[in-house]
Amino acid sequence: FSNIHLIDKYDTYEHLMNYWAETMQDDLYLIADEGWIAELEPVDGKKGELECDFLPKYLVIDRYFPDERKELEELQMAVDNYAQEIEEIKEENSGDYGFFADFDKINRTTVSSRIKEMQKNNIDNEEMKIMLNFILISENETRAKKELDEKKRQLNAEVIEKYQTLSEKEIKTLVVNDKWMTALEQSVKNDMDRVSRKLTQRIKDLTERYATPLPELMKETKMLTDKVNKHLKKMGFIWKKKK
C-alpha cells in the first residue's frame, strides 16, 4: 500500500480552509459593517418574497419551527405521491389500446367529459373505474397543493415576525452554530467522502494488480515456456544451455 502516499496530505486541509473562508467572508464583511443584524430584504425577480443572505430563513425555520417544517415536508410528499400516481395511471392507459389512447390531452376536464359521456350511456366497466380513480387522485392532489400553499404562507408570516424579535445572542447562535459550523461539518464530510473514494479506488487497483500470487505466476510462466519450447523443437530449433 505504499502508493497511498500519493494523496496530497495538504489537499484536504487547504480545501477546507478555502471553503471555510468563502462561507464566512461575506458574513464577516457584514458583521464588520453593520454588526450582528439580520434583516429581510426583497428578492430580485420574486415579487413579495423576502430573504436574508446573512441569516437565511431556513435556519430560523429549522431552529424555531421544526414541527411546521415537518408538516410541510409531509404535505409535499403527499403532493408528490399523488402526482406520481396520476402519471402511472396515464402511462398504464395511454398505449394503443389504453383507455386514454384517443385523448388529445389527459387532465381532469377531458376525463370528466369522458365520465359524463359514459354515464349518459349507462356504461360502468373497468374504464369507468380508471376514470373515476383518476379524478379522485387529481382532486386529492389539488387539495394537498392548496393546503401546502396555505401552510407555507402561514409559516412565512410567522418567520417574518420572528426576525423582528431575534436578539443579538440568538443571531450569533444561528449564524455561528447553525450556519458556519454546519457548513464546515458538511465540507469535512464531503472531503472525507472524496478521500475515501480515492483510497477505495487505490485499494481496488492494487488488489487487481496483485490478484495472482507469485508462485501461481511462476507456475503459469513455466507451463507456457514448456509449451513454446515443444513447438520450437517440432519446428527443428535446437539450443544449448550456457555453461
PDB file of all heavy atoms in Angstrom, residues 190-225:
ATOM      1  N   ASN A 190     -17.755  16.005   3.065  1.00  0.00           N
ATOM      2  CA  ASN A 190     -17.534  15.878   1.623  1.00  0.00           C
ATOM      3  C   ASN A 190     -16.094  15.489   1.322  1.00  0.00           C
ATOM      4  O   ASN A 190     -15.832  14.658   0.442  1.00  0.00           O
ATOM      5  CB  ASN A 190     -17.881  17.191   0.913  1.00  0.00           C
ATOM      6  CG  ASN A 190     -19.363  17.493   0.935  1.00  0.00           C
ATOM      7  OD1 ASN A 190     -20.187  16.599   1.144  1.00  0.00           O
ATOM      8  ND2 ASN A 190     -19.719  18.744   0.715  1.00  0.00           N
ATOM      9  N   ASP A 191     -15.148  16.110   2.047  1.00  0.00           N
ATOM     10  CA  ASP A 191     -13.742  15.800   1.817  1.00  0.00           C
ATOM     11  C   ASP A 191     -13.400  14.390   2.283  1.00  0.00           C
ATOM     12  O   ASP A 191     -12.603  13.686   1.639  1.00  0.00           O
ATOM     13  CB  ASP A 191     -12.852  16.821   2.526  1.00  0.00           C
ATOM     14  CG  ASP A 191     -12.417  17.927   1.582  1.00  0.00           C
ATOM     15  OD1 ASP A 191     -13.233  18.270   0.702  1.00  0.00           O
ATOM     16  OD2 ASP A 191     -11.290  18.424   1.704  1.00  0.00           O
ATOM     17  N   MET A 192     -13.994  13.968   3.389  1.00  0.00           N
ATOM     18  CA  MET A 192     -13.754  12.605   3.862  1.00  0.00           C
ATOM     19  C   MET A 192     -14.300  11.590   2.856  1.00  0.00           C
ATOM     20  O   MET A 192     -13.670  10.567   2.595  1.00  0.00           O
ATOM     21  CB  MET A 192     -14.418  12.404   5.220  1.00  0.00           C
ATOM     22  CG  MET A 192     -13.759  13.183   6.353  1.00  0.00           C
ATOM     23  SD  MET A 192     -12.021  12.731   6.590  1.00  0.00           S
ATOM     24  CE  MET A 192     -12.193  11.042   7.161  1.00  0.00           C
ATOM     25  N   ASP A 193     -15.451  11.891   2.284  1.00  0.00           N
ATOM     26  CA  ASP A 193     -16.020  11.015   1.262  1.00  0.00           C
ATOM     27  C   ASP A 193     -15.113  10.967   0.036  1.00  0.00           C
ATOM     28  O   ASP A 193     -14.913   9.909  -0.571  1.00  0.00           O
ATOM     29  CB  ASP A 193     -17.417  11.499   0.861  1.00  0.00           C
ATOM     30  CG  ASP A 193     -18.439  11.292   1.956  1.00  0.00           C
ATOM     31  OD1 ASP A 193     -18.166  10.508   2.878  1.00  0.00           O
ATOM     32  OD2 ASP A 193     -19.517  11.926   1.898  1.00  0.00           O
ATOM     33  N   ARG A 194     -14.574  12.129  -0.324  1.00  0.00           N
ATOM     34  CA  ARG A 194     -13.696  12.209  -1.504  1.00  0.00           C
ATOM     35  C   ARG A 194     -12.418  11.403  -1.278  1.00  0.00           C
ATOM     36  O   ARG A 194     -11.987  10.632  -2.143  1.00  0.00           O
ATOM     37  CB  ARG A 194     -13.354  13.674  -1.786  1.00  0.00           C
ATOM     38  CG  ARG A 194     -12.487  13.902  -3.018  1.00  0.00           C
ATOM     39  CD  ARG A 194     -12.362  15.383  -3.284  1.00  0.00           C
ATOM     40  NE  ARG A 194     -11.765  16.073  -2.163  1.00  0.00           N
ATOM     41  CZ  ARG A 194     -10.458  16.164  -1.947  1.00  0.00           C
ATOM     42  NH1 ARG A 194      -9.609  15.582  -2.784  1.00  0.00           N
ATOM     43  NH2 ARG A 194      -9.992  16.820  -0.903  1.00  0.00           N
ATOM     44  N   VAL A 195     -11.811  11.568  -0.103  1.00  0.00           N
ATOM     45  CA  VAL A 195     -10.597  10.821   0.232  1.00  0.00           C
ATOM     46  C   VAL A 195     -10.906   9.329   0.301  1.00  0.00           C
ATOM     47  O   VAL A 195     -10.116   8.493  -0.161  1.00  0.00           O
ATOM     48  CB  VAL A 195     -10.007  11.314   1.567  1.00  0.00           C
ATOM     49  CG1 VAL A 195      -8.876  10.396   2.018  1.00  0.00           C
ATOM     50  CG2 VAL A 195      -9.497  12.740   1.428  1.00  0.00           C
ATOM     51  N   SER A 196     -12.067   8.995   0.869  1.00  0.00           N
ATOM     52  CA  SER A 196     -12.461   7.590   0.975  1.00  0.00           C
ATOM     53  C   SER A 196     -12.600   6.951  -0.398  1.00  0.00           C
ATOM     54  O   SER A 196     -12.170   5.812  -0.617  1.00  0.00           O
ATOM     55  CB  SER A 196     -13.780   7.481   1.741  1.00  0.00           C
ATOM     56  OG  SER A 196     -14.214   6.149   1.806  1.00  0.00           O
ATOM     57  N   ARG A 197     -13.177   7.710  -1.332  1.00  0.00           N
ATOM     58  CA  ARG A 197     -13.312   7.186  -2.698  1.00  0.00           C
ATOM     59  C   ARG A 197     -11.945   6.986  -3.340  1.00  0.00           C
ATOM     60  O   ARG A 197     -11.716   6.008  -4.057  1.00  0.00           O
ATOM     61  CB  ARG A 197     -14.169   8.141  -3.546  1.00  0.00           C
ATOM     62  CG  ARG A 197     -15.656   8.114  -3.205  1.00  0.00           C
ATOM     63  CD  ARG A 197     -16.469   8.797  -4.284  1.00  0.00           C
ATOM     64  NE  ARG A 197     -16.155  10.215  -4.386  1.00  0.00           N
ATOM     65  CZ  ARG A 197     -16.752  11.171  -3.677  1.00  0.00           C
ATOM     66  NH1 ARG A 197     -17.682  10.847  -2.793  1.00  0.00           N
ATOM     67  NH2 ARG A 197     -16.426  12.437  -3.840  1.00  0.00           N
ATOM     68  N   LYS A 198     -11.013   7.913  -3.102  1.00  0.00           N
ATOM     69  CA  LYS A 198      -9.664   7.775  -3.638  1.00  0.00           C
ATOM     70  C   LYS A 198      -8.983   6.537  -3.093  1.00  0.00           C
ATOM     71  O   LYS A 198      -8.367   5.758  -3.821  1.00  0.00           O
ATOM     72  CB  LYS A 198      -8.829   9.017  -3.297  1.00  0.00           C
ATOM     73  CG  LYS A 198      -8.991  10.189  -4.256  1.00  0.00           C
ATOM     74  CD  LYS A 198      -7.969  11.259  -3.945  1.00  0.00           C
ATOM     75  CE  LYS A 198      -8.037  12.390  -4.945  1.00  0.00           C
ATOM     76  NZ  LYS A 198      -7.007  13.424  -4.674  1.00  0.00           N
ATOM     77  N   LEU A 199      -9.085   6.362  -1.771  1.00  0.00           N
ATOM     78  CA  LEU A 199      -8.454   5.208  -1.139  1.00  0.00           C
ATOM     79  C   LEU A 199      -9.065   3.907  -1.639  1.00  0.00           C
ATOM     80  O   LEU A 199      -8.355   2.934  -1.905  1.00  0.00           O
ATOM     81  CB  LEU A 199      -8.612   5.301   0.380  1.00  0.00           C
ATOM     82  CG  LEU A 199      -7.753   6.363   1.084  1.00  0.00           C
ATOM     83  CD1 LEU A 199      -8.159   6.465   2.548  1.00  0.00           C
ATOM     84  CD2 LEU A 199      -6.280   6.049   0.966  1.00  0.00           C
ATOM     85  N   THR A 200     -10.385   3.900  -1.775  1.00  0.00           N
ATOM     86  CA  THR A 200     -11.068   2.700  -2.263  1.00  0.00           C
ATOM     87  C   THR A 200     -10.604   2.335  -3.661  1.00  0.00           C
ATOM     88  O   THR A 200     -10.353   1.159  -3.969  1.00  0.00           O
ATOM     89  CB  THR A 200     -12.592   2.919  -2.278  1.00  0.00           C
ATOM     90  OG1 THR A 200     -13.039   3.218  -0.948  1.00  0.00           O
ATOM     91  CG2 THR A 200     -13.325   1.679  -2.777  1.00  0.00           C
ATOM     92  N   GLN A 201     -10.460   3.360  -4.523  1.00  0.00           N
ATOM     93  CA  GLN A 201     -10.009   3.112  -5.892  1.00  0.00           C
ATOM     94  C   GLN A 201      -8.571   2.626  -5.910  1.00  0.00           C
ATOM     95  O   GLN A 201      -8.218   1.716  -6.675  1.00  0.00           O
ATOM     96  CB  GLN A 201     -10.143   4.387  -6.729  1.00  0.00           C
ATOM     97  CG  GLN A 201      -9.833   4.190  -8.209  1.00  0.00           C
ATOM     98  CD  GLN A 201     -10.716   3.149  -8.861  1.00  0.00           C
ATOM     99  OE1 GLN A 201     -11.935   3.165  -8.687  1.00  0.00           O
ATOM    100  NE2 GLN A 201     -10.122   2.235  -9.617  1.00  0.00           N
ATOM    101  N   ARG A 202      -7.715   3.210  -5.039  1.00  0.00           N
ATOM    102  CA  ARG A 202      -6.317   2.782  -4.970  1.00  0.00           C
ATOM    103  C   ARG A 202      -6.226   1.321  -4.521  1.00  0.00           C
ATOM    104  O   ARG A 202      -5.462   0.532  -5.065  1.00  0.00           O
ATOM    105  CB  ARG A 202      -5.535   3.662  -3.998  1.00  0.00           C
ATOM    106  CG  ARG A 202      -5.392   5.096  -4.465  1.00  0.00           C
ATOM    107  CD  ARG A 202      -4.321   5.238  -5.543  1.00  0.00           C
ATOM    108  NE  ARG A 202      -4.308   6.573  -6.088  1.00  0.00           N
ATOM    109  CZ  ARG A 202      -3.713   7.615  -5.509  1.00  0.00           C
ATOM    110  NH1 ARG A 202      -3.088   7.452  -4.361  1.00  0.00           N
ATOM    111  NH2 ARG A 202      -3.747   8.805  -6.078  1.00  0.00           N
ATOM    112  N   ILE A 203      -7.006   0.990  -3.477  1.00  0.00           N
ATOM    113  CA  ILE A 203      -7.013  -0.392  -2.974  1.00  0.00           C
ATOM    114  C   ILE A 203      -7.503  -1.355  -4.049  1.00  0.00           C
ATOM    115  O   ILE A 203      -6.965  -2.456  -4.223  1.00  0.00           O
ATOM    116  CB  ILE A 203      -7.891  -0.483  -1.712  1.00  0.00           C
ATOM    117  CG1 ILE A 203      -7.242   0.293  -0.566  1.00  0.00           C
ATOM    118  CG2 ILE A 203      -8.102  -1.946  -1.310  1.00  0.00           C
ATOM    119  CD1 ILE A 203      -8.113   0.429   0.658  1.00  0.00           C
ATOM    120  N   LYS A 204      -8.522  -0.929  -4.782  1.00  0.00           N
ATOM    121  CA  LYS A 204      -9.052  -1.761  -5.868  1.00  0.00           C
ATOM    122  C   LYS A 204      -7.993  -1.991  -6.937  1.00  0.00           C
ATOM    123  O   LYS A 204      -7.813  -3.120  -7.428  1.00  0.00           O
ATOM    124  CB  LYS A 204     -10.278  -1.101  -6.482  1.00  0.00           C
ATOM    125  CG  LYS A 204     -10.925  -1.917  -7.586  1.00  0.00           C
ATOM    126  CD  LYS A 204     -12.139  -1.191  -8.149  1.00  0.00           C
ATOM    127  CE  LYS A 204     -12.755  -1.996  -9.302  1.00  0.00           C
ATOM    128  NZ  LYS A 204     -13.924  -1.288  -9.899  1.00  0.00           N
ATOM    129  N   ASP A 205      -7.275  -0.908  -7.295  1.00  0.00           N
ATOM    130  CA  ASP A 205      -6.212  -1.027  -8.307  1.00  0.00           C
ATOM    131  C   ASP A 205      -5.117  -1.977  -7.847  1.00  0.00           C
ATOM    132  O   ASP A 205      -4.634  -2.820  -8.616  1.00  0.00           O
ATOM    133  CB  ASP A 205      -5.611   0.353  -8.609  1.00  0.00           C
ATOM    134  CG  ASP A 205      -6.601   1.270  -9.313  1.00  0.00           C
ATOM    135  OD1 ASP A 205      -7.594   0.754  -9.858  1.00  0.00           O
ATOM    136  OD2 ASP A 205      -6.386   2.495  -9.297  1.00  0.00           O
ATOM    137  N   LEU A 206      -4.717  -1.818  -6.571  1.00  0.00           N
ATOM    138  CA  LEU A 206      -3.666  -2.685  -6.038  1.00  0.00           C
ATOM    139  C   LEU A 206      -4.126  -4.139  -5.954  1.00  0.00           C
ATOM    140  O   LEU A 206      -3.357  -5.062  -6.239  1.00  0.00           O
ATOM    141  CB  LEU A 206      -3.250  -2.201  -4.644  1.00  0.00           C
ATOM    142  CG  LEU A 206      -2.470  -0.884  -4.603  1.00  0.00           C
ATOM    143  CD1 LEU A 206      -2.332  -0.400  -3.166  1.00  0.00           C
ATOM    144  CD2 LEU A 206      -1.101  -1.032  -5.250  1.00  0.00           C
ATOM    145  N   THR A 207      -5.385  -4.326  -5.587  1.00  0.00           N
ATOM    146  CA  THR A 207      -5.927  -5.685  -5.497  1.00  0.00           C
ATOM    147  C   THR A 207      -5.925  -6.367  -6.852  1.00  0.00           C
ATOM    148  O   THR A 207      -5.565  -7.541  -6.980  1.00  0.00           O
ATOM    149  CB  THR A 207      -7.364  -5.647  -4.937  1.00  0.00           C
ATOM    150  OG1 THR A 207      -7.345  -5.029  -3.650  1.00  0.00           O
ATOM    151  CG2 THR A 207      -7.945  -7.050  -4.815  1.00  0.00           C
ATOM    152  N   GLU A 208      -6.332  -5.610  -7.888  1.00  0.00           N
ATOM    153  CA  GLU A 208      -6.349  -6.167  -9.232  1.00  0.00           C
ATOM    154  C   GLU A 208      -4.932  -6.431  -9.733  1.00  0.00           C
ATOM    155  O   GLU A 208      -4.667  -7.427 -10.411  1.00  0.00           O
ATOM    156  CB  GLU A 208      -7.072  -5.208 -10.179  1.00  0.00           C
ATOM    157  CG  GLU A 208      -8.572  -5.094  -9.895  1.00  0.00           C
ATOM    158  CD  GLU A 208      -9.237  -4.059 -10.777  1.00  0.00           C
ATOM    159  OE1 GLU A 208      -8.513  -3.333 -11.502  1.00  0.00           O
ATOM    160  OE2 GLU A 208     -10.483  -3.953 -10.737  1.00  0.00           O
ATOM    161  N   ARG A 209      -4.002  -5.530  -9.373  1.00  0.00           N
ATOM    162  CA  ARG A 209      -2.621  -5.665  -9.841  1.00  0.00           C
ATOM    163  C   ARG A 209      -1.942  -6.884  -9.240  1.00  0.00           C
ATOM    164  O   ARG A 209      -1.165  -7.570  -9.896  1.00  0.00           O
ATOM    165  CB  ARG A 209      -1.840  -4.401  -9.478  1.00  0.00           C
ATOM    166  CG  ARG A 209      -0.420  -4.386 -10.023  1.00  0.00           C
ATOM    167  CD  ARG A 209       0.278  -3.102  -9.612  1.00  0.00           C
ATOM    168  NE  ARG A 209      -0.441  -1.937 -10.082  1.00  0.00           N
ATOM    169  CZ  ARG A 209      -0.137  -0.682  -9.709  1.00  0.00           C
ATOM    170  NH1 ARG A 209       0.860  -0.474  -8.860  1.00  0.00           N
ATOM    171  NH2 ARG A 209      -0.836   0.331 -10.177  1.00  0.00           N
ATOM    172  N   TYR A 210      -2.221  -7.156  -7.959  1.00  0.00           N
ATOM    173  CA  TYR A 210      -1.568  -8.267  -7.275  1.00  0.00           C
ATOM    174  C   TYR A 210      -2.543  -9.387  -6.937  1.00  0.00           C
ATOM    175  O   TYR A 210      -2.373 -10.107  -5.952  1.00  0.00           O
ATOM    176  CB  TYR A 210      -0.903  -7.766  -5.990  1.00  0.00           C
ATOM    177  CG  TYR A 210       0.110  -6.672  -6.238  1.00  0.00           C
ATOM    178  CD1 TYR A 210      -0.143  -5.366  -5.838  1.00  0.00           C
ATOM    179  CD2 TYR A 210       1.310  -6.947  -6.896  1.00  0.00           C
ATOM    180  CE1 TYR A 210       0.782  -4.354  -6.084  1.00  0.00           C
ATOM    181  CE2 TYR A 210       2.236  -5.945  -7.134  1.00  0.00           C
ATOM    182  CZ  TYR A 210       1.966  -4.648  -6.732  1.00  0.00           C
ATOM    183  OH  TYR A 210       2.876  -3.656  -6.973  1.00  0.00           O
ATOM    184  N   ALA A 211      -3.545  -9.536  -7.788  1.00  0.00           N
ATOM    185  CA  ALA A 211      -4.571 -10.553  -7.541  1.00  0.00           C
ATOM    186  C   ALA A 211      -4.012 -11.967  -7.644  1.00  0.00           C
ATOM    187  O   ALA A 211      -4.425 -12.868  -6.917  1.00  0.00           O
ATOM    188  CB  ALA A 211      -5.728 -10.371  -8.526  1.00  0.00           C
ATOM    189  N   THR A 212      -3.038 -12.184  -8.556  1.00  0.00           N
ATOM    190  CA  THR A 212      -2.456 -13.516  -8.763  1.00  0.00           C
ATOM    191  C   THR A 212      -1.178 -13.667  -7.956  1.00  0.00           C
ATOM    192  O   THR A 212      -0.236 -12.886  -8.126  1.00  0.00           O
ATOM    193  CB  THR A 212      -2.143 -13.742 -10.253  1.00  0.00           C
ATOM    194  OG1 THR A 212      -3.326 -13.485 -11.028  1.00  0.00           O
ATOM    195  CG2 THR A 212      -1.690 -15.173 -10.487  1.00  0.00           C
ATOM    196  N   PRO A 213      -1.081 -14.658  -7.065  1.00  0.00           N
ATOM    197  CA  PRO A 213       0.123 -14.854  -6.245  1.00  0.00           C
ATOM    198  C   PRO A 213       1.344 -15.172  -7.113  1.00  0.00           C
ATOM    199  O   PRO A 213       1.216 -15.743  -8.210  1.00  0.00           O
ATOM    200  CB  PRO A 213      -0.235 -16.054  -5.360  1.00  0.00           C
ATOM    201  CG  PRO A 213      -1.737 -16.114  -5.382  1.00  0.00           C
ATOM    202  CD  PRO A 213      -2.135 -15.614  -6.736  1.00  0.00           C
ATOM    203  N   LEU A 214       2.543 -14.836  -6.632  1.00  0.00           N
ATOM    204  CA  LEU A 214       3.781 -15.049  -7.379  1.00  0.00           C
ATOM    205  C   LEU A 214       4.013 -16.525  -7.722  1.00  0.00           C
ATOM    206  O   LEU A 214       4.363 -16.838  -8.873  1.00  0.00           O
ATOM    207  CB  LEU A 214       4.965 -14.496  -6.588  1.00  0.00           C
ATOM    208  CG  LEU A 214       6.334 -14.621  -7.266  1.00  0.00           C
ATOM    209  CD1 LEU A 214       6.326 -13.907  -8.612  1.00  0.00           C
ATOM    210  CD2 LEU A 214       7.421 -14.058  -6.354  1.00  0.00           C
ATOM    211  N   PRO A 215       3.817 -17.476  -6.786  1.00  0.00           N
ATOM    212  CA  PRO A 215       4.024 -18.894  -7.152  1.00  0.00           C
ATOM    213  C   PRO A 215       3.130 -19.328  -8.302  1.00  0.00           C
ATOM    214  O   PRO A 215       3.560 -20.084  -9.176  1.00  0.00           O
ATOM    215  CB  PRO A 215       3.661 -19.635  -5.856  1.00  0.00           C
ATOM    216  CG  PRO A 215       3.932 -18.652  -4.775  1.00  0.00           C
ATOM    217  CD  PRO A 215       3.536 -17.324  -5.344  1.00  0.00           C
ATOM    218  N   GLU A 216       1.910 -18.823  -8.305  1.00  0.00           N
ATOM    219  CA  GLU A 216       0.987 -19.183  -9.392  1.00  0.00           C
ATOM    220  C   GLU A 216       1.455 -18.587 -10.716  1.00  0.00           C
ATOM    221  O   GLU A 216       1.369 -19.227 -11.774  1.00  0.00           O
ATOM    222  CB  GLU A 216      -0.420 -18.698  -9.053  1.00  0.00           C
ATOM    223  CG  GLU A 216      -1.488 -19.168 -10.039  1.00  0.00           C
ATOM    224  CD  GLU A 216      -2.885 -18.783  -9.617  1.00  0.00           C
ATOM    225  OE1 GLU A 216      -3.104 -18.574  -8.404  1.00  0.00           O
ATOM    226  OE2 GLU A 216      -3.752 -18.683 -10.502  1.00  0.00           O
ATOM    227  N   LEU A 217       1.971 -17.351 -10.649  1.00  0.00           N
ATOM    228  CA  LEU A 217       2.503 -16.717 -11.860  1.00  0.00           C
ATOM    229  C   LEU A 217       3.709 -17.492 -12.398  1.00  0.00           C
ATOM    230  O   LEU A 217       3.852 -17.699 -13.612  1.00  0.00           O
ATOM    231  CB  LEU A 217       2.901 -15.268 -11.565  1.00  0.00           C
ATOM    232  CG  LEU A 217       1.770 -14.269 -11.366  1.00  0.00           C
ATOM    233  CD1 LEU A 217       2.332 -12.926 -10.913  1.00  0.00           C
ATOM    234  CD2 LEU A 217       0.987 -14.088 -12.672  1.00  0.00           C
ATOM    235  N   MET A 218       4.594 -17.934 -11.480  1.00  0.00           N
ATOM    236  CA  MET A 218       5.776 -18.696 -11.890  1.00  0.00           C
ATOM    237  C   MET A 218       5.375 -20.032 -12.498  1.00  0.00           C
ATOM    238  O   MET A 218       5.944 -20.476 -13.503  1.00  0.00           O
ATOM    239  CB  MET A 218       6.690 -18.924 -10.680  1.00  0.00           C
ATOM    240  CG  MET A 218       7.309 -17.625 -10.137  1.00  0.00           C
ATOM    241  SD  MET A 218       8.304 -17.889  -8.647  1.00  0.00           S
ATOM    242  CE  MET A 218       9.642 -18.863  -9.359  1.00  0.00           C
ATOM    243  N   LYS A 219       4.371 -20.666 -11.905  1.00  0.00           N
ATOM    244  CA  LYS A 219       3.890 -21.943 -12.424  1.00  0.00           C
ATOM    245  C   LYS A 219       3.313 -21.771 -13.825  1.00  0.00           C
ATOM    246  O   LYS A 219       3.580 -22.559 -14.740  1.00  0.00           O
ATOM    247  CB  LYS A 219       2.826 -22.506 -11.482  1.00  0.00           C
ATOM    248  CG  LYS A 219       2.266 -23.846 -11.918  1.00  0.00           C
ATOM    249  CD  LYS A 219       1.228 -24.333 -10.908  1.00  0.00           C
ATOM    250  CE  LYS A 219       0.626 -25.669 -11.366  1.00  0.00           C
ATOM    251  NZ  LYS A 219      -0.404 -26.149 -10.409  1.00  0.00           N
ATOM    252  N   GLU A 220       2.533 -20.714 -14.003  1.00  0.00           N
ATOM    253  CA  GLU A 220       1.922 -20.454 -15.312  1.00  0.00           C
ATOM    254  C   GLU A 220       2.992 -20.109 -16.345  1.00  0.00           C
ATOM    255  O   GLU A 220       2.915 -20.531 -17.505  1.00  0.00           O
ATOM    256  CB  GLU A 220       0.917 -19.302 -15.194  1.00  0.00           C
ATOM    257  CG  GLU A 220       0.142 -19.030 -16.474  1.00  0.00           C
ATOM    258  CD  GLU A 220      -0.885 -17.934 -16.306  1.00  0.00           C
ATOM    259  OE1 GLU A 220      -1.087 -17.473 -15.167  1.00  0.00           O
ATOM    260  OE2 GLU A 220      -1.491 -17.539 -17.323  1.00  0.00           O
ATOM    261  N   THR A 221       4.027 -19.355 -15.898  1.00  0.00           N
ATOM    262  CA  THR A 221       5.122 -18.987 -16.800  1.00  0.00           C
ATOM    263  C   THR A 221       5.877 -20.233 -17.271  1.00  0.00           C
ATOM    264  O   THR A 221       6.216 -20.373 -18.454  1.00  0.00           O
ATOM    265  CB  THR A 221       6.099 -18.028 -16.099  1.00  0.00           C
ATOM    266  OG1 THR A 221       5.392 -16.861 -15.700  1.00  0.00           O
ATOM    267  CG2 THR A 221       7.244 -17.639 -17.022  1.00  0.00           C
ATOM    268  N   LYS A 222       6.181 -21.153 -16.340  1.00  0.00           N
ATOM    269  CA  LYS A 222       6.880 -22.386 -16.689  1.00  0.00           C
ATOM    270  C   LYS A 222       6.061 -23.221 -17.667  1.00  0.00           C
ATOM    271  O   LYS A 222       6.593 -23.784 -18.641  1.00  0.00           O
ATOM    272  CB  LYS A 222       7.172 -23.199 -15.430  1.00  0.00           C
ATOM    273  CG  LYS A 222       7.996 -24.469 -15.681  1.00  0.00           C
ATOM    274  CD  LYS A 222       8.298 -25.196 -14.403  1.00  0.00           C
ATOM    275  CE  LYS A 222       9.193 -26.403 -14.671  1.00  0.00           C
ATOM    276  NZ  LYS A 222       8.653 -27.327 -15.689  1.00  0.00           N
ATOM    277  N   MET A 223       4.730 -23.290 -17.432  1.00  0.00           N
ATOM    278  CA  MET A 223       3.863 -24.076 -18.300  1.00  0.00           C
ATOM    279  C   MET A 223       3.866 -23.508 -19.719  1.00  0.00           C
ATOM    280  O   MET A 223       3.981 -24.254 -20.715  1.00  0.00           O
ATOM    281  CB  MET A 223       2.441 -24.080 -17.738  1.00  0.00           C
ATOM    282  CG  MET A 223       1.437 -24.894 -18.566  1.00  0.00           C
ATOM    283  SD  MET A 223      -0.248 -24.737 -17.928  1.00  0.00           S
ATOM    284  CE  MET A 223      -0.575 -23.015 -18.335  1.00  0.00           C
ATOM    285  N   LEU A 224       3.780 -22.197 -19.827  1.00  0.00           N
ATOM    286  CA  LEU A 224       3.795 -21.566 -21.144  1.00  0.00           C
ATOM    287  C   LEU A 224       5.159 -21.714 -21.819  1.00  0.00           C
ATOM    288  O   LEU A 224       5.239 -21.892 -23.041  1.00  0.00           O
ATOM    289  CB  LEU A 224       3.411 -20.078 -21.013  1.00  0.00           C
ATOM    290  CG  LEU A 224       1.973 -19.795 -20.561  1.00  0.00           C
ATOM    291  CD1 LEU A 224       1.774 -18.309 -20.321  1.00  0.00           C
ATOM    292  CD2 LEU A 224       0.982 -20.289 -21.622  1.00  0.00           C
ATOM    293  N   THR A 225       6.228 -21.617 -21.014  1.00  0.00           N
ATOM    294  CA  THR A 225       7.582 -21.768 -21.562  1.00  0.00           C
ATOM    295  C   THR A 225       7.779 -23.164 -22.134  1.00  0.00           C
ATOM    296  O   THR A 225       8.327 -23.343 -23.232  1.00  0.00           O
ATOM    297  CB  THR A 225       8.636 -21.503 -20.478  1.00  0.00           C
ATOM    298  OG1 THR A 225       8.465 -20.176 -19.976  1.00  0.00           O
ATOM    299  CG2 THR A 225      10.050 -21.658 -21.018  1.00  0.00           C
TER     300      THR A 225
END
